[in-house]
Amino acid sequence: MKKKKDKEISFLGKVILFFRSHEEKYQITRLPKKIVKKQKALAGYESADDPVEAKISFGFGITKVIVITVLCVFLAAVLLFGSGIMSYANVYYMFKDISYISTFSETRPETLSYSQSVGNQTFASFKNGLAVAGDNEIKLFTSTGRVTMTAGSDYTNPQICASDSYVLIYDQGSNSFAVYNSFICVYSETLDYPISSASMSDNGSFLIVTKSAEYRSAVRIYNNKFKLETEYLKNDLIISAELSSNGRYAAIASLDAEGGESKVTISVLETKKGSLKSSTTVTDVLPYRIAFLSGDRVALVCSESLSVYDLNGNRKNIFVYPDKLSHMSYANGGIALLFDESEADASELLVVFDDNGDLKLTIKIDGNVSDVKMNKDHIYLLCDGKIIKVDSTFGHTSTVAFTEEDTRLTLLSGGELLACTPSLAYYVSFD
């Protein structure tokens, strides 16, 4: 007689065999209920009707197979459709970031050291640490003062923008810019025309202000994967451009002075669509800066007044300056303006507006202010051998002495303040 051919085992049959082998591997035996109850009673179980270990083990085996199957499907999908996101380099630097996050408990030094720049030197907060860009060195520090990257720089006039995602460094007046994570340069580009300014959102998207062959001004907006998403072209001169913190909008202030009349256009651009949400024109003002005070308020700082608009171009507030504007600082939470109140007694007037553009605080500051930084809760002022901390709600002040020359303030995202000299940054404490 001919032997029958072995039937091919189906997928379901393989799964059943797997679980049977699982039981044999761990020597799981299904005992009669009476024996199980007796064993449990001897072991001190309150109830002899609890599920037996075999059922628990069997259920665990099923759960394990389901989890492994789902994980394999997910990894296959990522490799097939998300290769731009999941790469060896991204995974490597993700785990390096995790290792640095785990160092928050380390004791940080009192100062941070970096190379002194011959020319311009700029500072910014990056992941609650410090980013420094000079004409000979770029250096990144963690929140505990550890150096994560040091790179050479040949920028003549380096400027810096940063978020908790990336650091953008560009050579103002030249054509090049570069984007860094905590360890390496992840993107760089050399444009056809010089860069005048840049801005970066919290999610890592950024804009570059330059020009084109046909237009006097061009705003190039990149997403956080470094892909050019929108290019906005104007014949006017763009004075200032800023991304909202979430990257959804760009606010642009442009100037047209032809015909003897100063005409300023405030444009709000939807970055994803590349279309204008609003466009408002004002005359006879000289714009200095445009800034987001919150997700739906835009401030236009001019030579003689401050105007606040919503995203639809409606003016919500205007403040005419009492004296000459000397300094300003803004954040997602408000704006602080300083005015030269009196040359005789060397005092300045500090005026603070909230994230809605409403007046929040007015206070007199004794001394000549050389730098100012703010967040939602406090304003920090560097003046005449001291640093002053002002509570932006109640106006309470505290002061520490600081006599180093050529100093600029940098406010970290975690709330700590650094006083940055040409070669050392000092942590400032008001305790």
Side-chain angles (χ1 to χ4, degrees), residues 61-274:
I62 293 176
T63 304
K64 182 172 68 173
V65 171
I66 292 173
V67 170
I68 292 173
T69 303
V70 171
L71 179 60
C72 291
V73 171
F74 170 75
L75 290 175
V78 168
L79 292 174
L80 287 173
F81 305 109
S83 58
I85 300 173
M86 181 68 75
S87 65
Y88 169 78
N90 286 343
V91 173
Y92 174 72
Y93 288 112
M94 178 184 71
F95 281 105
K96 286 198 76 174
D97 266 338
I98 291 173
S99 70
Y100 280 106
I101 290 172
S102 66
T103 64
F104 276 117
S105 61
E106 291 182 4
T107 303
R108 62 166 172 76
E110 294 184 356
T111 60
L112 305 177
S113 176
Y114 40 82
S115 296
Q116 184 167 342
S117 182
V118 177
N120 188 47
Q121 192 173 40
T122 55
F123 309 90
S125 171
F126 174 54
K127 295 187 177 182
N128 200 32
L130 181 67
V132 185
D135 56 11
N136 56 5
E137 182 186 71
I138 297 168
K139 203 165 188 177
L140 305 180
F141 298 86
T142 68
S143 61
T144 58
R146 181 183 296 185
V147 177
T148 62
M149 190 200 77
T150 303
S153 170
D154 57 358
Y155 287 174
T156 305
N157 188 21
Q159 303 293 328
I160 191 168
C161 304
S163 69
D164 280 347
S165 300
Y166 299 108
V167 175
L168 167 66
I169 299 173
Y170 63 98
D171 196 4
Q172 190 175 47
S174 297
N175 302 17
S176 299
F177 71 90
V179 182
Y180 298 84
N181 63 15
S182 298
F183 311 99
I184 58 169
C185 176
V186 293
Y187 182 78
S188 63
E189 187 175 348
T190 299
L191 304 178
D192 295 330
Y193 295 92
I195 300 168
S196 57
S197 64
S199 174
M200 177 171 276
S201 72
D202 290 346
N203 67 7
S205 60
F206 60 94
L207 66 77
I208 301 289
V209 180
T210 181
K211 59 184 292 186
S212 72
E214 296 82 16
Y215 292 88
R216 191 177 184 184
S217 298
V219 179
R220 297 167 61 88
I221 301 176
Y222 297 76
N223 63 23
N224 56 9
K225 301 294 185 296
F226 321 119
K227 180 182 178 182
L228 181 63
E229 203 162 52
T230 300
E231 188 169 32
Y232 181 65
L233 304 171
K234 285 186 73 72
N235 280 319
D236 298 350
L237 175 65
I238 292 179
I239 302 297
S240 177
E242 191 86 12
L243 278 176
S244 61
S245 60
N246 59 16
R248 291 180 59 189
Y249 300 103
I252 302 165
S254 58
L255 175 65
D256 179 9
E258 293 183 5
E261 184 183 42
S262 173
K263 184 175 70 173
V264 175
T265 302
I266 302 106
S267 306
V268 177
L269 185 70
E270 295 185 66
T271 56
K272 294 289 185 183
K273 299 178 181 178

